Amino acid sequence: MSGTSAIATGGRRRSGSRLGWNLLGLLVFVVAGFPVYWMLNTAFKPAKDAIDPDPSLLPTGLTLSNFSRALDIADFWGPVGRSLVVSLSVVAIGIVVGMLAALAISRFAFRGRKIVIVGILAVQMVPLVAMIIPVFLLLNDLKQYDKLTGIIITYLTFILPFTVWTLRGFIVNIPKELEEAAMVDGCSRTGAFIRVVFPLLAPGMVATSVYGFIQAWNEYLYALMLLSQEHQTATVWLGNFTTKHGTEYAPMMAGATMMAVPIVVLFLFVQRKMAAGLTAGAVKG
C-alpha cells in the first residue's frame, strides 16, 4: 500500500509541476502576444475608436480604411522596396562572410585566434547609439552618406559579429572526423565542406539569416540619421504618421501591420529549418 501511495503522490506532484509550467508558458505567451494583438486590433478598428480614452479589448467594428489612409499619407512601396534591398543584401553578404570567418575560427589554428574571438564578443557589447557620430563621419568621408550602400555597410558592422559567433557554434558541433573521412575518400577540403559540412550547417545558416533579416528590417535609428526622406526605409516611413497635429494611431498600426507581413511570410517558409537551427547549436561550443 505504501508503494502505491508513493507512486500516486509522485504522479500528483509531476502533474502539478506540469500544470504550473503550462500556466507559466501561457502567461509568457499572453504578455508577448498582447502587443501584436493590440496592433492588429487598432489597425482594423475605426480611427475614432483608436483614440478612445476608454478603449475596448475586443474589436467593436472592422474597417480597411486605415490601410488606405496609410498608403495615402506617403509613398509606401518605395520605402518597403528599399528595406527589402537593404535587408536581403545584408543577409546575403553577412551569411557568406560570416560563414567563411566562422569556419576559419573554428577549424584553423592561427596566431591571435583567441583575440579575434574576444574582439567579436567585445564589439557586440558596444551600444549602437554610441557609434552614430563616428559612423556618420566615416560614411561622409567615403561619400556613402545618404546611400543604400552606406546603410548596408553600417548594418553589416553590427550583424556580422553575431553571425560569426553563432555560426562558429554550429560548426564546432560538427565533428571534424566527417570532413577527414570525406577527404580520405578523395574529396578536397573544399569538396568535403560543400558535401558534408554545408548540409549540416544549413539549419544554423537559416536561423542566423532570419535574425539578420529581422535586425536589418526593423532598424530605425541609423536609417533615420543616415538617410534622407528621399531614401528612407520602411521603419522611418512610419514616422510620417506623427505630425504637429498629433499621431494618427490607427493608420500607423495599419502601416506596422503591413510592415510585419514580410517577416511573417519569411518565418512561415523557414520555420522548420529555424527550429532545427535554434536547437542544433545548443549542446556545446
Side-chain angles (χ1 to χ4, degrees):
M1 291 292 292
S2 60
T4 304
S5 177
I7 294 175
T9 302
R12 285 194 296 269
R13 287 179 180 175
R14 286 192 297 270
S15 179
S17 176
R18 189 180 302 111
L19 177 62
W21 284 111
N22 289 338
L23 291 176
L24 178 61
L26 179 61
L27 177 63
V28 172
F29 171 77
V30 170
V31 172
F34 181 77
V36 178
Y37 165 75
W38 196 251
M39 177 186 72
L40 294 173
N41 184 23
T42 306
F44 286 99
K45 69 171 53 174
K48 60 182 181 60
D49 293 341
I51 57 175
D52 191 335
D54 187 21
S56 173
L57 288 176
L58 298 177
T60 55
L62 298 178
T63 179
L64 296 177
S65 60
N66 296 321
F67 292 89
S68 60
R69 172 62 178 161
L71 295 174
D72 290 339
I73 286 181
D75 177 38
F76 172 73
W77 300 110
V80 167
R82 286 187 286 272
S83 287
L84 283 174
V85 170
V86 170
S87 300
L88 293 176
S89 299
V90 168
V91 168
I93 299 173
I95 205 68
V96 172
V97 176
M99 180 184 63
L100 296 176
L103 183 64
I105 292 173
S106 58
R107 286 291 193 258
F108 300 101
F110 54 88
R111 184 176 299 177
R113 178 171 172 266
K114 292 184 178 180
I115 296 177
V116 172
I117 296 175
V118 173
I120 291 174
L121 290 175
V123 168
Q124 296 184 74
M125 297 171 63
V126 179
L128 295 181
V129 67
M131 299 189 295
I132 290 181
I133 295 178
V135 168
F136 169 79
L137 295 175
L138 179 61
L139 292 182
N140 192 48
D141 291 340
L142 296 175
K143 309 299 182 184
Q144 292 298 315
Y145 175 73
D146 195 22
K147 293 183 178 180
L148 293 186
T149 52
I151 204 71
I152 290 172
I153 295 172
T154 303
Y155 288 175
L156 283 171
T157 59
F158 54 81
I159 289 177
L160 260 179
F162 174 85
T163 302
V164 174
W165 182 256
T166 305
L167 291 180
R168 173 188 172 273
F170 291 115
I171 295 175
V172 166
N173 287 331
I174 300 174
K176 294 181 180 180
E177 291 75 13
L178 295 177
E179 291 181 79
E180 294 172 354
M183 294 172 67
V184 169
D185 290 338
C187 286
S188 62
R189 180 175 291 274
T190 302
F193 174 79
I194 294 175
R195 290 179 172 83
V196 177
V197 178
F198 187 78
L200 298 175
L201 188 60
M205 293 177 63
V206 170
T208 307
S209 298
V210 171
Y211 171 85
F213 184 89
I214 292 175
Q215 287 291 100
W217 179 266
N218 290 336
E219 204 285 322
Y220 172 77
L221 185 60
Y222 279 82
L224 177 65
M225 299 296 295
L226 301 178
L227 295 175
S228 65
Q229 187 173 4
E230 181 183 357
H231 298 137
Q232 66 182 359
T233 56
T235 51
V236 181
W237 169 80
L238 282 176
N240 291 316
F241 296 97
T242 300
T243 65
K244 62 181 180 180
H245 301 294
T247 302
E248 299 188 52
Y249 291 103
M252 176 182 284
M253 292 300 101
T257 301
M258 291 188 290
M259 276 187 56
V261 170
I263 299 294
V264 174
V265 172
L266 175 64
F267 184 80
L268 290 176
F269 273 112
V270 300
Q271 58 177 333
R272 292 186 179 180
K273 290 288 186 181
M274 183 78 176
L278 291 175
T279 56
V283 179
K284 63 178 182 177

